[in-house]
Amino acid sequence: MDFSSTKKAVPSVDRALNLLELLASASTGMTITTISRRLSIPKSSAYYLVTTLAKRNFVRRKAGEHLYFLGTNAPPFATNTDAESDLKQLCSPHIRALSQKLGMVAQIGIREGSEVRIIDRSEIPGLRLDSWVGRHFDLHCTAVGKALISYLTDSEVESLVRTRGLPRHNRNTLCSMELLKAQFTESRRLGFSTDDEEHELGVRCVASPIFNHIGGVAAAVCIFAPIGRLAPEEMPNVGAEVVKAAQEISRKLADHPVRGFLGALNGAETQAAPGK
């Protein structure tokens, strides 16, 4: 039988596998509250799911704390490296098409703790910008960083800020939590985030989140260019193209999940978007 051709699924089994994947992505463990929110299920359901799997050692609880991890009987999941490679392969044709269409550099970023790391990018002949695969950026002053954390709760954002702070890169950098939260509200309304010379003078960026198969922010796609090539009045139209690319990638990620990759490399956590 070709199991890939059927749409039927057992909800309880599906939830259990989603939970195991979720825990595989979070090296720091998760509480029942976090599991409930990430999987969009009631806390009582999350509790019974966790305790049932714990009886079979698929899940374990950290002694003296309310944190849950994968247990000794949990199946092996894709490593971060494998999952990242799969995600890059899935995104690659989309960012190259986007880059060619707009005549700007496109890249994919993921969150590692309190920073962004670029995992793939396109190249435009004659257009050189200060970014490369493997480069790390701050979250609060880059479009790709804002897209990655715009769906986090206020407490999660505040926790990141306590860890990293809000470093000022130039006179345009937002160094206010209130202004940052206001931008997140607008980003969720529009579907994209912007960086108007906040990280680097002379460069503007637009980015949109990529959602995984359980609705978490897994990565973000970003377009950036010199200010002479991307005027402020053009950013909404560019944003619409970036959102379209991010949605196409999100649909593919939902249909063919990158197993083990839930947008939470090295312990980073993401919140699902409303309605996901």
Side-chain angles (χ1 to χ4, degrees):
M1 176 183 288
D2 180 8
F3 291 102
S4 63
S5 64
T6 180
K7 296 294 184 181
K8 293 182 179 179
V10 179
S12 58
V13 175
D14 204 41
R15 283 184 179 180
L17 292 173
N18 282 339
L19 171 61
L20 294 176
E21 289 183 332
L22 189 63
L23 293 179
S25 74
S27 60
T28 54
M30 286 189 173
T31 64
I32 293 293
T33 299
T34 302
I35 292 169
S36 167
R37 185 171 64 244
R38 296 295 189 270
L39 298 183
S40 300
I41 60 177
K43 284 186 181 179
S44 58
S45 298
Y47 174 78
Y48 289 121
L49 187 59
V50 166
T51 52
T52 299
L53 290 171
K55 289 178 180 178
R56 301 287 297 271
N57 293 322
F58 287 99
V59 172
R60 64 182 176 87
R61 177 179 169 181
K62 187 174 182 180
E65 297 186 28
H66 297 287
L67 289 173
Y68 294 88
F69 300 79
L70 286 182
T72 55
N73 285 341
F77 286 86
T79 65
N80 287 343
T81 301
D82 292 337
E84 184 179 311
S85 178
D86 289 345
L87 182 68
K88 179 177 176 178
Q89 184 176 10
L90 186 150
C91 294
S92 182
H94 295 279
I95 65 167
R96 277 149 185 75
L98 182 66
S99 181
Q100 290 297 319
K101 183 175 184 178
L102 297 177
M104 303 174 192
V105 174
Q107 55 189 18
I108 297 293
I110 60 173
R111 182 161 73 89
E112 284 189 340
S114 57
E115 292 185 309
V116 181
R117 179 165 61 84
I118 303 303
I119 64 168
D120 194 17
R121 58 175 271 133
S122 68
E123 297 290 345
I124 294 294
L127 185 59
R128 297 184 61 83
L129 291 166
D130 192 20
S131 181
W132 56 87
V133 172
R135 182 173 182 185
H136 288 73
F137 290 100
D138 282 324
L139 293 164
H140 71 291
C141 59
T142 58
V144 64
K146 293 174 191 176
L148 287 168
I149 63 173
S150 59
Y151 286 93
L152 293 179
T153 64
D154 285 353
S155 61
E156 286 170 326
V157 174
E158 288 161 4
S159 177
L160 285 173
V161 171
R162 282 194 297 271
T163 301
R164 181 75 175 178
L166 297 171
R168 180 177 292 281
H169 291 261
N170 60 58
R171 63 180 180 272
N172 298 321
T173 305
L174 287 185
C175 298
S176 161
M177 274 294 298
E178 292 308 311
L179 291 176
L180 198 59
K181 289 177 183 178
Q183 276 206 0
F184 290 163
T185 299
E186 183 70 358
S187 296
R188 291 193 296 269
R189 184 182 73 82
L190 296 172
F192 62 87
S193 302
T194 62
D195 161 12
D196 192 357
E197 300 187 84
E198 296 167 40
H199 179 265
E200 182 181 352
L201 293 175
V203 177
R204 291 192 178 100
C205 312
V206 180
S208 184
I210 295 167
F211 297 98
N212 61 35
H213 63 292
I214 62 169
V217 177
V221 58
C222 171
I223 276 286
F224 68 122
I227 57 175
R229 190 173 290 205
L230 179 54
E233 60 270 20
E234 295 172 338
M235 293 176 82
N237 290 334
V238 170
E241 294 295 334
V242 175
V243 169
K244 188 186 302 182
Q247 289 175 339
E248 289 174 356
I249 296 171
S250 298
R251 281 192 289 270
K252 284 193 174 181
L253 202 54
D255 292 338
H256 305 283
V258 174
R259 296 297 177 182
F261 190 97
L262 299 181
L265 293 183
N266 295 337
E269 292 183 285
T270 52
Q271 182 181 349
K276 290 287 179 177

